[in-house]
Amino acid sequence: MNERACSAAVLAATAVLVLAPRAAAAAEAPAAAVPQPPVATAEIRAEAARAAAAPGTLATLSRFFAREGKVAAAAARPRVEGEAIPVHYLSPDFVAGKPGAPVARLEFLASKAVASDGQRAALWTAKTGAGWQVVNIATGDDEFRYASLGAEKLPGGVVFREPQIDAWYVAGGGRVLPLDEDAGRAVGGGVSLAAYHERVVRAYGDKLPGSAYAKSGRAGGYSAEAGSAGAGGAVPLSAGPGPAVPLAAGAGVLAGVLVVGAGAVARARRSG
């Protein structure tokens, strides 16, 4: 079973946004949220890499890697390895059947961070009103592992995640192929793009932005009351599978994000 979100920890950082797949969506995106570019150009990758390697980011990473006492913050010596890679998620426009909409859209760029003791994390970098910033730190290396698997399984295809069921796929040539067990349960050994569209319409067609489900405050299985966080507080995350969450509206990964003052919430993942 691949990794799932399971806990959150507030860390001092320059970023001010929370990203959590099972957190209840905010009523509207904050002012800092802006649409993500459709393609990760070389310039965009460079901007993401600079944000990931910034001194403030590395300082936050030291505290992140030290959070469970595995290594002292002063001894963590985090480093960023390799290039920033684009991470795509299932597109709401594809689910809605918008003409010409691709199956997935760019949500953020990920940079691989490694500590002195071998711990790994993904730095999620996205475009905000203040420019390209690291908006989340997630344990593990899902983003990079599935990007590699997708390139091997379908060279030239687009690797993307269906966050509602934590499934990873690669799409290309009119086909959608699974990259993990969750995706395999959803599409077997692979399906046509048309068949995949039919499946996601059945699953999420009534949960798109603006739907009664999205407006009910039940996003991610939380009521409107449970979906809020105080200043500096962490947005609650489900420890296990919950109801399908509505597809984010507006500004890609930043839509439905909650501002928590001067603290960045880092998302931990564990094996399911």
Side-chain angles (χ1 to χ4, degrees), residues 208-232:
L208 288 165
S211 67
Y213 182 92
K215 293 177 180 178
S216 70
R218 291 180 293 152
Y222 288 99
S223 67
E225 291 78 9
S228 62

mmCIF file of all heavy atoms in Angstrom, residues 208-232:
data_model
loop_
_atom_site.group_PDB
_atom_site.id
_atom_site.type_symbol
_atom_site.label_atom_id
_atom_site.label_comp_id
_atom_site.label_asym_id
_atom_site.label_seq_id
_atom_site.Cartn_x
_atom_site.Cartn_y
_atom_site.Cartn_z
ATOM 1 N N LEU A 208 -17.900 18.305 -7.806
ATOM 2 C CA LEU A 208 -17.081 19.355 -8.411
ATOM 3 C C LEU A 208 -17.313 20.689 -7.713
ATOM 4 O O LEU A 208 -18.302 20.859 -6.985
ATOM 5 C CB LEU A 208 -17.421 19.483 -9.898
ATOM 6 C CG LEU A 208 -16.920 18.338 -10.786
ATOM 7 C CD1 LEU A 208 -17.622 18.366 -12.138
ATOM 8 C CD2 LEU A 208 -15.408 18.410 -10.963
ATOM 9 N N PRO A 209 -16.411 21.656 -7.904
ATOM 10 C CA PRO A 209 -16.600 22.989 -7.315
ATOM 11 C C PRO A 209 -17.972 23.546 -7.676
ATOM 12 O O PRO A 209 -18.428 23.440 -8.816
ATOM 13 C CB PRO A 209 -15.488 23.812 -7.970
ATOM 14 C CG PRO A 209 -14.416 22.802 -8.249
ATOM 15 C CD PRO A 209 -15.142 21.552 -8.656
ATOM 16 N N GLY A 210 -18.640 24.092 -6.667
ATOM 17 C CA GLY A 210 -19.964 24.665 -6.883
ATOM 18 C C GLY A 210 -21.091 23.685 -6.639
ATOM 19 O O GLY A 210 -22.260 24.079 -6.591
ATOM 20 N N SER A 211 -20.764 22.395 -6.470
ATOM 21 C CA SER A 211 -21.798 21.392 -6.233
ATOM 22 C C SER A 211 -22.326 21.503 -4.811
ATOM 23 O O SER A 211 -21.720 22.108 -3.934
ATOM 24 C CB SER A 211 -21.231 19.984 -6.461
ATOM 25 O OG SER A 211 -20.253 19.693 -5.473
ATOM 26 N N ALA A 212 -23.470 20.868 -4.575
ATOM 27 C CA ALA A 212 -24.055 20.865 -3.230
ATOM 28 C C ALA A 212 -23.104 20.197 -2.245
ATOM 29 O O ALA A 212 -22.990 20.611 -1.092
ATOM 30 C CB ALA A 212 -25.397 20.144 -3.260
ATOM 31 N N TYR A 213 -22.424 19.153 -2.684
ATOM 32 C CA TYR A 213 -21.469 18.457 -1.809
ATOM 33 C C TYR A 213 -20.347 19.395 -1.392
ATOM 34 O O TYR A 213 -19.991 19.467 -0.215
ATOM 35 C CB TYR A 213 -20.888 17.251 -2.546
ATOM 36 C CG TYR A 213 -19.927 16.430 -1.721
ATOM 37 C CD1 TYR A 213 -20.371 15.342 -0.975
ATOM 38 C CD2 TYR A 213 -18.568 16.719 -1.700
ATOM 39 C CE1 TYR A 213 -19.499 14.581 -0.212
ATOM 40 C CE2 TYR A 213 -17.682 15.958 -0.945
ATOM 41 C CZ TYR A 213 -18.144 14.897 -0.207
ATOM 42 O OH TYR A 213 -17.276 14.146 0.540
ATOM 43 N N ALA A 214 -19.804 20.118 -2.356
ATOM 44 C CA ALA A 214 -18.694 21.030 -2.056
ATOM 45 C C ALA A 214 -19.145 22.152 -1.132
ATOM 46 O O ALA A 214 -18.384 22.611 -0.282
ATOM 47 C CB ALA A 214 -18.124 21.605 -3.344
ATOM 48 N N LYS A 215 -20.390 22.600 -1.294
ATOM 49 C CA LYS A 215 -20.885 23.704 -0.480
ATOM 50 C C LYS A 215 -21.334 23.264 0.908
ATOM 51 O O LYS A 215 -21.550 24.100 1.783
ATOM 52 C CB LYS A 215 -22.071 24.369 -1.190
ATOM 53 C CG LYS A 215 -21.685 25.095 -2.488
ATOM 54 C CD LYS A 215 -22.913 25.659 -3.176
ATOM 55 C CE LYS A 215 -22.548 26.395 -4.468
ATOM 56 N NZ LYS A 215 -23.747 26.898 -5.168
ATOM 57 N N SER A 216 -21.462 21.947 1.114
ATOM 58 C CA SER A 216 -21.998 21.459 2.380
ATOM 59 C C SER A 216 -20.981 21.477 3.515
ATOM 60 O O SER A 216 -21.339 21.267 4.662
ATOM 61 C CB SER A 216 -22.510 20.020 2.197
ATOM 62 O OG SER A 216 -21.419 19.123 2.013
ATOM 63 N N GLY A 217 -19.705 21.681 3.186
ATOM 64 C CA GLY A 217 -18.680 21.681 4.218
ATOM 65 C C GLY A 217 -18.213 20.299 4.590
ATOM 66 O O GLY A 217 -17.514 20.109 5.572
ATOM 67 N N ARG A 218 -18.564 19.274 3.776
ATOM 68 C CA ARG A 218 -18.176 17.905 4.098
ATOM 69 C C ARG A 218 -16.907 17.477 3.370
ATOM 70 O O ARG A 218 -16.570 16.306 3.349
ATOM 71 C CB ARG A 218 -19.311 16.939 3.727
ATOM 72 C CG ARG A 218 -20.529 17.081 4.592
ATOM 73 C CD ARG A 218 -21.596 16.088 4.146
ATOM 74 N NE ARG A 218 -22.097 16.415 2.818
ATOM 75 C CZ ARG A 218 -22.584 15.505 1.974
ATOM 76 N NH1 ARG A 218 -22.590 14.233 2.308
ATOM 77 N NH2 ARG A 218 -23.040 15.867 0.801
ATOM 78 N N ALA A 219 -16.184 18.407 2.770
ATOM 79 C CA ALA A 219 -14.992 18.064 2.008
ATOM 80 C C ALA A 219 -14.021 17.266 2.859
ATOM 81 O O ALA A 219 -13.663 17.662 3.954
ATOM 82 C CB ALA A 219 -14.316 19.336 1.507
ATOM 83 N N GLY A 220 -13.597 16.113 2.355
ATOM 84 C CA GLY A 220 -12.658 15.292 3.092
ATOM 85 C C GLY A 220 -13.287 14.596 4.281
ATOM 86 O O GLY A 220 -12.591 14.010 5.099
ATOM 87 N N GLY A 221 -14.623 14.651 4.384
ATOM 88 C CA GLY A 221 -15.288 13.958 5.473
ATOM 89 C C GLY A 221 -15.411 14.785 6.734
ATOM 90 O O GLY A 221 -15.757 14.271 7.782
ATOM 91 N N TYR A 222 -15.137 16.082 6.670
ATOM 92 C CA TYR A 222 -15.225 16.948 7.837
ATOM 93 C C TYR A 222 -16.423 17.878 7.727
ATOM 94 O O TYR A 222 -16.775 18.330 6.654
ATOM 95 C CB TYR A 222 -13.958 17.793 7.984
ATOM 96 C CG TYR A 222 -12.769 17.001 8.419
ATOM 97 C CD1 TYR A 222 -11.829 16.572 7.495
ATOM 98 C CD2 TYR A 222 -12.605 16.663 9.747
ATOM 99 C CE1 TYR A 222 -10.735 15.819 7.886
ATOM 100 C CE2 TYR A 222 -11.511 15.914 10.145
ATOM 101 C CZ TYR A 222 -10.583 15.496 9.217
ATOM 102 O OH TYR A 222 -9.512 14.757 9.618
ATOM 103 N N SER A 223 -17.015 18.155 8.843
ATOM 104 C CA SER A 223 -18.088 19.135 8.862
ATOM 105 C C SER A 223 -17.494 20.518 8.753
ATOM 106 O O SER A 223 -16.288 20.698 8.861
ATOM 107 C CB SER A 223 -18.870 19.017 10.179
ATOM 108 O OG SER A 223 -18.038 19.403 11.260
ATOM 109 N N ALA A 224 -18.343 21.521 8.575
ATOM 110 C CA ALA A 224 -17.847 22.894 8.473
ATOM 111 C C ALA A 224 -17.120 23.294 9.743
ATOM 112 O O ALA A 224 -16.125 24.004 9.723
ATOM 113 C CB ALA A 224 -19.011 23.851 8.202
ATOM 114 N N GLU A 225 -17.615 22.803 10.904
ATOM 115 C CA GLU A 225 -16.982 23.152 12.165
ATOM 116 C C GLU A 225 -15.588 22.542 12.267
ATOM 117 O O GLU A 225 -14.643 23.156 12.714
ATOM 118 C CB GLU A 225 -17.835 22.664 13.348
ATOM 119 C CG GLU A 225 -19.147 23.409 13.517
ATOM 120 C CD GLU A 225 -20.202 22.950 12.524
ATOM 121 O OE1 GLU A 225 -19.991 21.941 11.816
ATOM 122 O OE2 GLU A 225 -21.254 23.610 12.450
ATOM 123 N N ALA A 226 -15.462 21.273 11.836
ATOM 124 C CA ALA A 226 -14.180 20.587 11.967
ATOM 125 C C ALA A 226 -13.176 21.058 10.950
ATOM 126 O O ALA A 226 -11.989 20.825 11.077
ATOM 127 C CB ALA A 226 -14.385 19.079 11.812
ATOM 128 N N GLY A 227 -13.640 21.734 9.921
ATOM 129 C CA GLY A 227 -12.747 22.104 8.844
ATOM 130 C C GLY A 227 -12.009 23.393 9.046
ATOM 131 O O GLY A 227 -11.350 23.867 8.138
ATOM 132 N N SER A 228 -12.111 24.011 10.210
ATOM 133 C CA SER A 228 -11.434 25.272 10.422
ATOM 134 C C SER A 228 -10.265 25.102 11.362
ATOM 135 O O SER A 228 -10.208 24.172 12.141
ATOM 136 C CB SER A 228 -12.414 26.301 11.014
ATOM 137 O OG SER A 228 -12.892 25.854 12.270
ATOM 138 N N ALA A 229 -9.318 26.032 11.281
ATOM 139 C CA ALA A 229 -8.171 25.996 12.184
ATOM 140 C C ALA A 229 -7.891 27.400 12.668
ATOM 141 O O ALA A 229 -8.011 28.363 11.929
ATOM 142 C CB ALA A 229 -6.950 25.437 11.451
ATOM 143 N N GLY A 230 -7.540 27.499 13.926
ATOM 144 C CA GLY A 230 -7.219 28.801 14.485
ATOM 145 C C GLY A 230 -5.880 29.283 13.991
ATOM 146 O O GLY A 230 -5.122 28.555 13.360
ATOM 147 N N ALA A 231 -5.563 30.529 14.269
ATOM 148 C CA ALA A 231 -4.289 31.083 13.834
ATOM 149 C C ALA A 231 -3.159 30.263 14.407
ATOM 150 O O ALA A 231 -3.071 30.007 15.590
ATOM 151 C CB ALA A 231 -4.172 32.534 14.299
ATOM 152 N N GLY A 232 -2.284 29.816 13.526
ATOM 153 C CA GLY A 232 -1.148 29.027 13.951
ATOM 154 C C GLY A 232 -1.488 27.574 14.220
ATOM 155 O O GLY A 232 -0.622 26.792 14.561
#
